[in-house]
Amino acid sequence: MLDLAALLFLSLVSLVVSQSVEAPNSASIPSRIWSNSAAVFWNDSHLIGNGRLGAAIGGGAASDVFAVNEDSFWSGGKLSRVNPDALPYMPELQSLIKQGRTPEAGTLAGYSYAATPVSARHYEPLGDLELYMNHSADASNYERYLDVNDATAGVYYVNDGTAYFREYLASNPGDVIAVRIAANQTGKVSFRVHLRKGQSLNRWEDYSKKVGSDTVIIGGESEGVTGISFASGARVVASGGKVYTIGDTILCDNANEAWIYFTSWTSYRKSNPQSAVLTDLAGIKQSYSSIRAAHGADYQKYAGRVTLSFGNASSTQTQMTTAERLAEVAKGFFDPGLTALYFQFGRYLFISTSRVGTLPPNLQGIWNEDLDPEWGSKYTVNINLEMNYWPSLITNMADLTSPLWDLFEKVAADGANTAKKMYGSSGWVCHHNTDAWGDTAPQDNYISSTWWPSAGPWFMSHMIEYYRFTGDVSFLKKYYSTIKNAAEFYVGFLTDYNGWKVTNPTISPENEYYLPDNVTTAAITAGSTIDNSLLWELFGSLNEIEHIIGASDSSFISEITKLRTQLPPLRVNSWGGIMEWIEDYKEQDPGHRHWSPLWGVYPGSQITSTNSTTFDAARGTLIRRITNGGGDTGWSAAWGTSLSSRLFEPSYANLLLTRLIGNLTYGNSLLDSGPPAAFQIDGNFGGTAAIAEVLLHSHENIASNSKSNNLVPVLTGNLDKVPLIRLLPALPSQWVTAGDGYVTGLRARGGFEVDIYWDGKGTLKSANVISMLGGPVYVTVGNTTIGHSGGPQVSVSGSGKATFLKLNTTKGKAYKITLV
């Protein structure tokens, strides 16, 4: 099916490229984000990327100056930042926290725990590619779009009777950004191209020059004594007319059609970036149409795996620009087409930022125009980097996750040094930020974010989830020592507190609480709930992994299994929610954007409906946060949507997703708003994952030896279990108002691909469960609690019928599920 889609795409490419310049008519193409004006602000731009190279396309008619990026261009080299006084002062710091003297502990941590220097490296822009057309700024019939079906951006307009069209793409197979410029009249394509590091002062641009008659190149170095050197180059090829260089500018006069090729390298990957750039540009022998065809087929290999429809958009909706449709969503109107487009846009961004051999997407993916970006455009790892990878497994892109594993290996190597120097512990540790070198020392000196040593277990949950979705035992074997060493740190680090074993010091990211005087606020604590849930998951998972790969670490497994029983349990606080800290403190911000105490709901699986006490308390926390303004940033609304789905609250899922798309997304680009940053990409990724989570669950398990009339739920750490697939567990009524819907190609834990079809009442019509690995699975519809009866029954021909139907599947076989 994938090959057929790619072949179909290839057959259409030559027609698209060779046709005359015509108005794009994006209103008739559901896969396009489009507008009838150029970008005014950077965050209105359309983003293109090939994993390594990125560009933000503003689409001005006469001048189009777009920011370009390369994922490894950071502000300097590897740092060693561990505070030399962290280890000698750690016992005193821990004692102060244990005594409840948290203000004093916070003060001491500010001196002894904070790193030196206080911050890791940050991500930097390469500069700008400046394209100036040789005509006036007049532009009629203007249209600008980004198509998430073929990963191209386009600009069309008419100037002085001539229609112009520009197409932009970032090819992974070609490893190049390419721009096609065409007109509907012969000899009308005239322009100039220039590269520069920035639009104001010359900051770290050391040379700018022409190379031959069709190429220019610039280069320099990033900030810092051990800065990264870079080179960026552009080459122009034309059909007809003349291409030549003057100074450091390429000029094209009176061509029929022309193409711009851009690339860049840094010393992070190449010892001589300038030579690498010139070699790549000179080596472009294939035509633009060939580059475009290979680019589209490569992109569709991933993008075409999943389809989604919420029914038919109205004719009024389809004629609106994307921004106009978004404004209607903000008023509370469900837009089936825009919601599906938003979902696929998140997948488009992921394919554009996470490829084999690249770095993972940072806070802004690979797109940044600021020398001093908000939060350094780094890897914030108390939610943001992790959220970037939430859509990767469930929306069928597991083979694009290797950049995350590569970064984790760097983090583990650096974290071993940090663990030893800061805590005197073996294993490895990571705090709430990292960079391109895997920096693990504490970041910044903020009371509500810096003192957190628990990114490691969160990282390892991604590796464990990768196995759960793919069944790749070789993956577990390869990374077993990394996972084990993450746990080993806590064996040495956990300390005693009221009969429990706890992390100390720590926080609950990035929240604060009131001390008993109800005036003084603090954040530093011991044994926050998120830490306990992360360690509960990690320790239990290692018990499973040891048996899966046949490891012989029984003494270590026994040790962490005992520690797991000594972790503080999930507890209900005074108002009926999940307790967030080691004591039942009053929260400073009841609507806090972080949902940290609910990690065990999502992305974890510690809290399910089989334990009504913790499940109801988690639901209480969710509703309290929402009621008090929670979900007020894009990533927070996205996380809250997935939490709402896991807690079987479809109305809140709809509320938060509507807020995310309608109020926390830029209308002209669909980018997640991230004030004060230009944008934050995690909201887009989290939103895509949340839509999938509303339609499909697979985080619950049933004991493999359960009897059909007495199903027993089991959690992480249990060795004998069968995954449960829930179809349509939390579909909001608003999402079916446009008629029948479907999703195809989603993935479920246990190694299954799932297609789901529902009607205009939200009732399951049918589903296909394709077994990729073989093995058993349970299937149900809706939110019936495991072990209960009375829910809707499903059937498969030859397998009977039940509310929870067990299938003993064969690898490669599809099973059609229907309601009884």
Side-chain angles (χ1 to χ4, degrees):
M1 184 171 132
L2 298 178
D3 290 340
L4 179 62
L7 287 171
L8 178 61
F9 178 86
L10 284 169
S11 68
L12 296 174
V13 164
S14 58
L15 174 64
V16 172
V17 172
S18 62
Q19 69 183 9
S20 60
V21 173
E22 297 177 351
N25 192 24
S26 296
S28 66
I29 303 175
S31 58
R32 286 186 177 177
I33 303 163
W34 71 281
S35 60
N36 49 27
S37 61
V40 176
F41 303 104
W42 186 88
N43 47 37
D44 292 325
S45 302
H46 292 319
L47 306 184
I48 60 172
N50 71 354
R52 188 178 69 84
L53 298 170
I57 310 301
S63 63
D64 195 3
V65 178
F66 49 92
V68 287
N69 297 96
E70 203 271 358
D71 71 334
S72 66
F73 192 54
W74 289 61
S75 61
K78 181 174 176 57
L79 292 172
S80 179
R81 302 188 302 111
V82 174
N83 191 323
D85 287 320
L87 184 58
Y89 279 94
M90 192 63 65
E92 181 180 349
L93 177 59
Q94 293 174 325
S95 177
L96 288 170
I97 293 169
K98 190 173 181 179
Q99 296 172 54
R101 297 162 62 185
T102 51
E104 296 165 75
T107 299
L108 179 60
Y111 295 123
S112 67
Y113 189 108
T116 54
V118 76
S119 179
R121 298 297 192 184
H122 69 265
Y123 187 54
E124 286 198 355
L126 285 175
D128 299 307
L129 190 156
E130 302 172 330
L131 168 63
Y132 298 103
M133 300 297 294
N134 191 22
H135 60 58
S136 70
D138 295 335
S140 59
N141 301 321
Y142 180 95
E143 191 173 319
R144 177 173 65 101
Y145 69 82
L146 173 70
D147 196 322
V148 302
N149 184 57
D150 63 8
T152 64
V155 172
Y156 171 89
Y157 58 91
V158 176
N159 175 274
D160 194 24
T162 300
Y164 291 90
F165 175 70
R166 297 199 296 269
E167 184 177 67
Y168 311 77
L169 60 87
S171 169
N172 182 271
D175 205 10
V176 69
I177 291 174
V179 183
R180 173 185 174 233
I181 306 176
N184 68 346
Q185 296 184 37
T186 302
K188 284 290 188 176
V189 175
S190 298
F191 60 89
R192 67 184 188 274
V193 171
H194 183 254
L195 298 173
R196 65 185 298 172
K197 184 71 173 68
Q199 294 295 314
S200 56
L201 297 174
N202 175 11
R203 294 188 178 183
W204 304 286
E205 181 180 325
D206 296 331
Y207 60 86
S208 178
K209 59 187 179 181
K210 66 179 181 180
V211 179
S213 61
D214 63 358
T215 301
V216 293
I217 189 168
I218 66 170
E221 193 168 86
S222 66
E223 307 169 50
V225 174
T226 56
I228 294 179
S229 61
F230 80 97
S232 300
R235 178 187 171 200
V236 174
V237 178
S239 171
K242 179 182 179 183
V243 175
Y244 56 103
T245 53
I246 301 176
D248 59 357
T249 299
I250 312 171
L251 297 95
C252 177
D253 293 341
N254 308 120
N256 302 320
E257 190 167 340
W259 306 273
I260 303 169
Y261 301 107
F262 170 88
T263 193
S264 180
W265 287 103
T266 79
S267 56
Y268 186 92
R269 294 192 176 95
K270 301 286 187 177
S271 59
N272 188 333
Q274 180 178 167
S275 176
V277 167
L278 293 176
T279 298
D280 284 359
L281 290 175
I284 297 175
K285 305 300 183 184
Q286 67 270 48
S287 65
Y288 174 84
S289 60
S290 296
I291 292 173
R292 188 188 195 280
H295 158 71
D298 169 76
Y299 172 76
Q300 266 296 318
K301 182 171 62 177
Y302 307 103
R305 294 173 180 173
V306 177
T307 63
L308 175 66
S309 173
F310 290 108
N312 297 318
S314 68
S315 58
T316 300
Q317 288 171 326
T318 59
Q319 292 305 308
M320 292 179 179
T321 65
T322 305
E324 290 169 340
R325 295 177 76 163
L326 203 75
E328 293 300 302
V329 172
K331 297 175 185 177
F333 297 104
F334 180 74
D335 186 323
L338 186 65
T339 305
L341 177 61
Y342 180 88
F343 171 86
Q344 295 291 12
F345 179 56
R347 298 184 71 246
Y348 162 84
L349 290 174
F350 189 80
I351 298 166
S352 301
T353 55
S354 186
R355 292 298 193 103
V356 174
T358 72
L359 290 168
N362 59 54
L363 277 174
Q364 293 185 191
I366 50 174
W367 299 280
N368 165 41
E369 68 165 351
D370 299 316
L371 286 170
D372 185 16
E374 291 295 334
W375 306 293
S377 194
K378 297 190 295 294
Y379 299 114
T380 303
V381 295
N382 61 13
I383 176 59
N384 311 92
L385 173 62
E386 293 91 338
M387 183 176 286
N388 287 355
Y389 279 82
W390 284 356
S392 63
L393 301 178
I394 192 171
T395 76
N396 212 336
M397 298 182 289
D399 44 352
L400 296 180
T401 55
S402 62
L404 195 63
W405 320 139
D406 295 342
L407 182 63
F408 288 172
E409 290 291 83
K410 295 174 187 174
V411 167
D414 187 85
N417 179 66
T418 300
K420 181 179 180 179
K421 288 188 174 181
M422 280 194 70
Y423 303 97
S425 179
S426 56
W428 63 270
V429 65
C430 181
H431 297 84
H432 92 288
N433 263 247
T434 189
D435 61 14
W437 293 269
D439 187 297
T440 56
Q443 169 72 24
D444 300 327
N445 198 349
Y446 297 147
I447 189 172
S448 62
S449 60
T450 299
W451 333 123
W452 189 62
S454 298
W458 199 333
F459 287 171
M460 296 302 93
S461 73
H462 281 262
M463 288 185 157
I464 294 157
E465 285 283 80
Y466 180 87
Y467 166 77
R468 289 173 178 157
F469 275 87
T470 66
D472 188 344
V473 176
S474 64
F475 177 88
L476 282 186
K477 289 180 177 178
K478 179 179 179 180
Y479 293 109
Y480 176 67
S481 63
T482 303
I483 301 170
K484 176 187 173 184
N485 291 341
E488 187 178 356
F489 167 75
Y490 294 93
V491 173
F493 173 60
L494 295 180
T495 59
D496 295 319
Y497 188 101
N498 289 350
W500 295 315
K501 293 292 186 180
V502 298
T503 51
N504 178 16
T506 190
I507 57 167
S508 183
E510 299 171 359
N511 206 356
E512 298 180 38
Y513 58 86
Y514 285 105
L515 295 178
D517 64 9
N518 283 324
V519 175
T520 308
T521 59
I524 202 165
T525 186
S528 59
T529 295
I530 186 175
D531 287 13
N532 303 331
S533 292
L534 286 166
L535 292 177
W536 181 90
E537 177 71 28
L538 177 60
F539 293 165
S541 296
L542 275 164
N543 184 46
E544 297 180 38
I545 294 170
E546 187 202 29
H547 286 78
I548 292 167
I549 69 173
S552 55
D553 291 323
S554 57
S555 61
F556 178 73
I557 298 300
S558 295
E559 187 173 20
I560 62 172
T561 299
K562 180 180 178 181
L563 279 175
R564 193 186 195 215
T565 66
Q566 296 173 308
L567 294 170
L570 292 165
R571 292 167 290 159
V572 180
N573 62 23
S574 59
W575 49 263
I578 294 290
M579 194 180 296
E580 185 164 3
W581 294 277
I582 195 68
E583 303 291 348
D584 193 7
Y585 297 120
K586 177 183 176 182
E587 55 201 341
Q588 188 268 338
D589 179 10
H592 192 67
R593 62 193 176 278
H594 279 259
W595 308 89
S596 301
L598 300 184
W599 191 94
V601 176
Y602 183 95
S605 58
Q606 183 183 17
I607 301 174
T608 69
S609 60
T610 55
N611 184 327
S612 60
T613 299
T614 55
F615 191 77
D616 291 344
R619 181 183 279 150
T621 295
L622 173 78
I623 295 172
R624 177 182 168 90
R625 288 251 164 119
I626 294 172
T627 303
N628 285 279
D632 60 347
T633 64
W635 62 262
S636 179
W639 191 357
T641 304
S642 286
L643 287 168
S644 299
S645 172
R646 288 275 179 97
L647 292 167
F648 304 142
E649 290 286 349
S651 62
Y652 285 110
N654 177 69
L655 172 71
L656 289 173
L657 192 74
T658 299
R659 181 183 301 170
L660 171 62
I661 298 177
N663 302 103
L664 300 170
T665 297
Y666 294 115
N668 287 316
S669 63
L670 285 194
L671 294 174
D672 176 63
S673 64
F679 86 105
Q680 274 190 230
I681 202 167
D682 41 31
N684 289 105
F685 291 141
T688 291
I691 291 170
E693 197 68 31
V694 164
L695 304 174
L696 177 70
H697 287 179
S698 63
H699 62 286
E700 297 169 272
N701 295 278
I702 297 173
S704 57
N705 59 356
S706 291
K707 303 299 182 182
S708 60
N709 60 348
N710 185 27
L711 300 182
V712 178
V714 291
L715 300 173
T716 298
N718 189 287
L719 302 179
D720 298 308
K721 57 188 177 183
V722 177
L724 168 66
I725 291 175
R726 286 189 186 272
L727 307 171
L728 306 180
L731 183 64
S733 59
Q734 295 88 342
W735 294 19
V736 299
T737 54
D740 294 5
Y742 62 85
V743 64
T744 67
L746 295 182
R747 286 295 179 96
R749 294 165 184 84
F752 298 93
E753 186 165 301
V754 182
D755 308 330
I756 311 171
Y757 302 84
W758 60 89
D759 64 21
K761 295 181 180 179
T763 302
L764 179 75
K765 293 170 65 178
S766 67
N768 293 316
V769 175
I770 303 101
S771 180
M772 313 304 290
L773 303 172
V777 65
Y778 281 92
V779 180
T780 191
V781 175
N783 59 14
T784 304
T785 299
I786 296 173
H788 291 213
S789 59
Q793 291 192 331
V794 295
S795 68
V796 171
S797 178
S799 298
K801 61 182 180 179
T803 299
F804 294 90
L805 182 64
K806 187 176 183 181
L807 303 174
N808 292 303
T809 71
T810 301
K811 181 178 179 179
K813 186 176 179 180
Y815 299 82
K816 185 175 181 179
I817 314 294
T818 57
L819 282 177
V820 174

